[in-house]
Amino acid sequence: MAVTMNDVARAAGVSLKTVSNVLNDYEFIRPATKKRVQDAIAELGYEANLTARSLRSGKTRMLGLVLSDLSAPYYAELASRLMKAASRRGYRVLVEQSDAAGEVELNALQGPFRQLTDGLLFTPLVIDADTIAARLGKKPLVLLGEHILDPRFDLVTMKNGEAAAALTAHLLAGGRRRIAVIGAHPDESAGSAGLRLNGYRKALDEAGVPFDPALIAPCDWRRDNGAAAVAGLLDGGVEFDAVFGLNDVLALGAMHELLIRGVHVPRDVAVAGFDDIDEARFASPSLTTVSPGMEEIAERSIGLLIDRIEGREAEGQAAHIEAGFQLEVRESAPQVS
Amino acid sequence: MAVTMNDVARAAGVSLKTVSNVLNDYEFIRPATKKRVQDAIAELGYEANLTARSLRSGKTRMLGLVLSDLSAPYYAELASRLMKAASRRGYRVLVEQSDAAGEVELNALQGPFRQLTDGLLFTPLVIDADTIAARLGKKPLVLLGEHILDPRFDLVTMKNGEAAAALTAHLLAGGRRRIAVIGAHPDESAGSAGLRLNGYRKALDEAGVPFDPALIAPCDWRRDNGAAAVAGLLDGGVEFDAVFGLNDVLALGAMHELLIRGVHVPRDVAVAGFDDIDEARFASPSLTTVSPGMEEIAERSIGLLIDRIEGREAEGQAAHIEAGFQLEVRESAPQVS
DNA sequence: CTGAAAGCGCTTACAG
DNA sequence: CTGAAAGCGCTTACAG
């Protein structure tokens, strides 16, 4: 059916190997030979069969990306950037949504998904370091996020603690003293939720403001959870003058609930988030938040993974990369409030 | 290295073909034989090599999805649902972001991307029907959206015109008479923008309200465009009592700009959008919009494409499917305003 | 610099 | 119901 290397070889009057050499940019080919092959390729409209190449070489030039849900704005924006970064380097990204299901995470580590990709970018939400290590296999893996900080694995992450502390300090500087935290995950300390909560506590300590557990609302990280959590605090009679949503959609959900109930933002309650998704800038009021260096995270995690795949990175030592962050002060929690 | 079918055949004491029969659920296998093969598979931990299977069968069980930008909320939510629908049927989705570049769209149609997938879900933004037809090849293609309505191609779309008319009628019923439209694309009539604008005009006609070109603001479909367009209208002294953003992010950007400038929504100006992205429900005020049946679109487009791939759908006649829509009336443009 | 041959791991007619 | 053989289209040692 399709034009094969054999057809090209015949048309150019050379052997298969010579065609392969031209395709793979082998150095030592006589210019005349090379030209003849290239002409034949152009004339016949030959395109290399990627599947055959993969079968023989064992490489697919695809990277796997495992995350919980592509429709969450933070992940959508991250995935988009990761795909562009990969594309610039000649790779594609195949996405797997885990829905935070352990079974899916496991399968991504060793099933067909692994087979289809040369390396994995993985945001583990359920399974732990030992489980990963046990199923890992030999293909490279780079962890994204901070659910697992382990010397065995490469990790690209953000300054969760520092950034949360800076944001909390900003709220305190604005005169806020009772800062509710939405989206805590009590069972977990190494995850983003835990690290951000730690940063919050650290900032309180440094300012000499007592920590009040009543202000900490545990919940999942979707928009509606943020609204429900604030409703819970208000209905429970908890007093607060600021809300720190551990991510932006939580903060936006919380802000919506406050406004519905006639609580003025930021006068009565300041609101801040984490992620700086596109929407944060255009919310009403616009959302004060942390920009966690998403572009840097995308660029460096793709770079690291491909370096591992192509063997450019020394083995044995795992890399732990932290992107820089920046405070984005906007209307929902202005400088002086 | 890895366990192959040969290893399984040897362990089970059968031929390659028998193992293949078991793997492919061939009906007529003696139960005892089948069991022996399955035991061998389990014991050896055999996993089929998908690349080899693809090379031989010519199928990858991957679907291609071409869209402009995965980080746009509508596309992110759609992609997430498409991937889940495909997964239920045993397929994966490989995404290509075109950034509305014609070159990328062309390559998706015939280059390596096409090779890697058994069929394509395509949202063409730049190239036209004849270009698509010329490069199509024999693999199935389903168009998504309405940039091209052509008897040669399968299409799954939404009721753009009807829904826009219904939304406009709702604004008119609320007493609005000067409804600005944000996001028109003057050069295009078959696209979503053109169809929605037509629906708007039709609703005006039916209500006997004159059409005023000064109210139509052309721009791209990003959040910041919506804000800029409203700013332009206000600065230009155009009077209006409602804004119809041709998609939700435009409406949300517009609403942000109105609120910044002290224009009350919905009292002074009602705002409505199109798409019903997750964020619409949680905006402040929450956004009145059209829910275009995204789940139905995802389910039916994946179903149609896979039917074509697997030859279950009669050839020769293109299917044109329109999902149903629903008006979501919320605070930004309530029933009586 | 180039060629002839083997083989990646499957599926698919073809026999029986 | 099952087996022996060919072949999908490449890359990769191995020669020369």
Side-chain angles (χ1 to χ4, degrees):
Chain A
M1 302 295 275
V3 182
T4 72
M5 271 176 63
N6 255 312
D7 302 326
V8 175
R10 205 173 314 121
V14 299
S15 79
L16 255 189
K17 177 61 162 72
T18 303
V19 179
S20 175
N21 282 343
V22 172
L23 291 174
N24 296 301
D25 288 326
Y26 182 65
E27 268 184 288
F28 309 104
I29 314 175
R30 237 178 307 200
T33 312
K34 185 167 181 175
K35 172 129 186 16
R36 251 188 311 148
V37 171
Q38 287 170 331
D39 288 350
I41 288 175
E43 193 179 339
L44 298 175
Y46 168 76
E47 277 191 348
N49 179 315
L50 300 180
T51 306
R53 183 175 281 174
S54 290
L55 177 58
R56 187 56 238 236
S57 70
K59 302 285 186 184
T60 63
R61 294 194 80 83
M62 288 209 283
L63 310 177
L65 171 62
V66 183
L67 41 73
S68 62
D69 181 5
L70 192 57
S71 70
Y74 176 77
Y75 284 128
E77 293 179 22
L78 181 62
S80 172
R81 287 171 198 249
L82 287 169
M83 290 171 67
K84 287 175 188 167
S87 173
R88 268 178 244 126
R89 294 170 170 83
Y91 282 77
R92 295 176 190 285
V93 175
L94 188 62
V95 180
E96 177 89 336
Q97 302 188 94
S98 74
D99 256 328
E103 194 197 346
V104 181
E105 294 190 347
L106 277 179
N107 288 338
L109 234 42
Q110 46 178 195
F113 186 74
R114 201 75 213 273
Q115 238 187 69
L116 288 169
T117 53
D118 294 340
L120 222 54
L121 248 30
F122 189 23
T123 307
L125 293 177
V126 179
I127 64 180
D128 62 20
D130 290 336
T131 310
I132 294 177
R135 318 263 173 147
L136 188 49
K138 36 244 119 223
K139 287 186 184 174
L141 168 78
V142 171
L143 297 180
L144 233 43
E146 21 291 312
H147 287 264
I148 289 171
L149 182 64
D150 188 294
R152 286 171 291 185
F153 308 120
D154 286 330
L155 172 67
V156 178
T157 184
M158 56 186 74
K159 297 188 189 293
N160 283 289
E162 271 184 58
L167 186 66
T168 306
H170 167 74
L171 294 170
L172 292 166
R176 312 293 171 161
R177 284 297 172 274
R178 303 226 1 115
I179 307 171
V181 174
I182 309 280
H185 294 167
D187 298 340
E188 160 229 292
S189 63
S192 309
L195 295 173
R196 293 175 193 175
L197 186 58
N198 279 351
Y200 162 84
R201 294 193 65 157
K202 195 161 159 243
L204 289 189
D205 282 354
E206 280 175 8
V209 174
F211 172 76
D212 180 355
L215 289 168
I216 310 303
C219 62
D220 283 346
W221 279 22
R222 293 186 324 271
R223 216 178 275 273
D224 52 334
N225 300 319
V230 157
L233 291 174
L234 292 171
D235 294 343
V238 178
E239 292 194 9
F240 55 97
D241 53 16
V243 169
F244 174 16
L246 293 186
N247 77 3
D248 278 355
V249 292
L250 284 169
L252 291 163
M255 191 155 79
H256 178 65
E257 187 68 21
L258 290 169
L259 296 169
I260 280 180
R261 294 183 174 227
V263 178
H264 188 276
V265 176
R267 195 190 58 224
D268 304 335
V269 173
V271 175
F274 201 113
D275 283 347
D276 196 24
I277 59 178
D278 190 38
E279 181 185 344
R281 246 170 67 225
F282 290 93
S284 303
S286 57
L287 185 68
T288 291
T289 186
V290 167
S291 169
M294 204 193 284
E295 186 58 35
E296 187 184 351
I297 289 173
E299 203 56 47
R300 298 191 70 178
S301 56
I302 290 287
L304 175 59
L305 183 57
I306 293 179
D307 282 350
R308 293 286 188 209
I309 289 170
E310 300 182 350
R312 267 194 305 280
E313 192 68 36
E315 294 201 28
Q317 55 217 30
H320 284 183
I321 295 173
E322 273 193 343
F325 72 93
Q326 198 172 329
L327 215 55
E328 301 290 344
V329 175
R330 305 204 180 97
E331 299 160 355
S332 71
Q335 206 60 251
V336 176
S337 52
Chain B
M1 302 294 274
V3 182
T4 73
M5 270 176 63
N6 254 314
D7 301 328
V8 174
R10 207 174 311 124
V14 298
S15 79
L16 254 190
K17 178 63 162 74
T18 304
V19 179
S20 176
N21 282 344
V22 172
L23 290 174
N24 295 302
D25 288 325
Y26 182 65
E27 266 183 290
F28 309 104
I29 314 174
R30 237 178 305 201
T33 311
K34 185 168 180 173
K35 172 131 186 16
R36 252 191 309 152
V37 171
Q38 287 171 330
D39 288 351
I41 288 174
E43 193 178 340
L44 298 175
Y46 168 75
E47 278 190 349
N49 179 316
L50 300 180
T51 306
R53 183 175 283 173
S54 290
L55 176 58
R56 188 56 236 237
S57 70
K59 303 283 186 186
T60 63
R61 294 193 81 82
M62 288 210 283
L63 310 177
L65 171 62
V66 183
L67 41 73
S68 62
D69 180 5
L70 192 57
S71 69
Y74 176 77
Y75 284 129
E77 292 179 24
L78 180 62
S80 171
R81 286 171 199 251
L82 288 169
M83 290 171 67
K84 285 176 189 167
S87 171
R88 268 179 243 123
R89 293 170 169 85
Y91 282 77
R92 296 175 191 285
V93 174
L94 188 62
V95 179
E96 178 90 336
Q97 302 188 95
S98 72
D99 256 328
E103 193 197 348
V104 181
E105 292 190 348
L106 277 179
N107 288 337
L109 233 41
Q110 47 177 194
F113 186 74
R114 202 73 214 274
Q115 235 188 70
L116 288 169
T117 54
D118 293 340
L120 222 54
L121 249 29
F122 190 22
T123 308
L125 294 178
V126 179
I127 64 180
D128 62 19
D130 290 337
T131 310
I132 294 177
R135 319 262 173 147
L136 188 50
K138 344 93 283 261
K139 287 187 184 175
L141 168 79
V142 171
L143 297 180
L144 232 43
E146 21 289 313
H147 288 264
I148 290 172
L149 183 62
D150 188 294
R152 287 171 289 186
F153 308 121
D154 285 331
L155 172 68
V156 177
T157 184
M158 56 185 77
K159 295 187 190 294
N160 283 290
E162 271 185 58
L167 186 66
T168 305
H170 166 73
L171 294 170
L172 292 165
R176 311 294 170 162
R177 282 299 172 272
R178 306 237 344 125
I179 306 171
V181 175
I182 308 280
H185 294 168
D187 299 338
E188 160 228 292
S189 64
S192 309
L195 296 174
R196 292 175 194 175
L197 186 58
N198 280 352
Y200 163 84
R201 294 193 66 157
K202 195 162 159 239
L204 290 187
D205 282 354
E206 279 174 10
V209 173
F211 171 76
D212 180 355
L215 288 168
I216 310 303
C219 61
D220 282 347
W221 280 23
R222 293 187 324 271
R223 215 178 275 272
D224 51 335
N225 301 318
V230 156
L233 291 174
L234 291 171
D235 295 342
V238 178
E239 290 195 11
F240 55 95
D241 53 15
V243 168
F244 174 14
L246 292 185
N247 77 3
D248 278 354
V249 291
L250 283 169
L252 291 163
M255 190 157 80
H256 178 64
E257 186 69 21
L258 291 169
L259 295 169
I260 279 180
R261 294 179 173 232
V263 178
H264 188 274
V265 177
R267 195 190 57 223
D268 304 334
V269 173
V271 175
F274 201 115
D275 282 346
D276 196 24
I277 60 177
D278 190 37
E279 181 186 344
R281 246 169 70 226
F282 290 93
S284 304
S286 58
L287 184 69
T288 290
T289 186
V290 168
S291 168
M294 202 193 287
E295 186 59 34
E296 189 185 351
I297 289 173
E299 202 56 49
R300 298 190 71 180
S301 55
I302 290 286
L304 175 58
L305 183 58
I306 293 179
D307 282 350
R308 293 285 188 210
I309 290 170
E310 299 182 353
R312 267 193 306 280
E313 192 69 37
E315 294 200 30
Q317 55 217 30
H320 285 182
I321 296 173
E322 273 194 343
F325 73 93
Q326 200 172 327
L327 216 54
E328 301 290 346
V329 176
R330 305 205 179 97
E331 299 160 355
S332 70
Q335 207 59 252
V336 177
S337 52

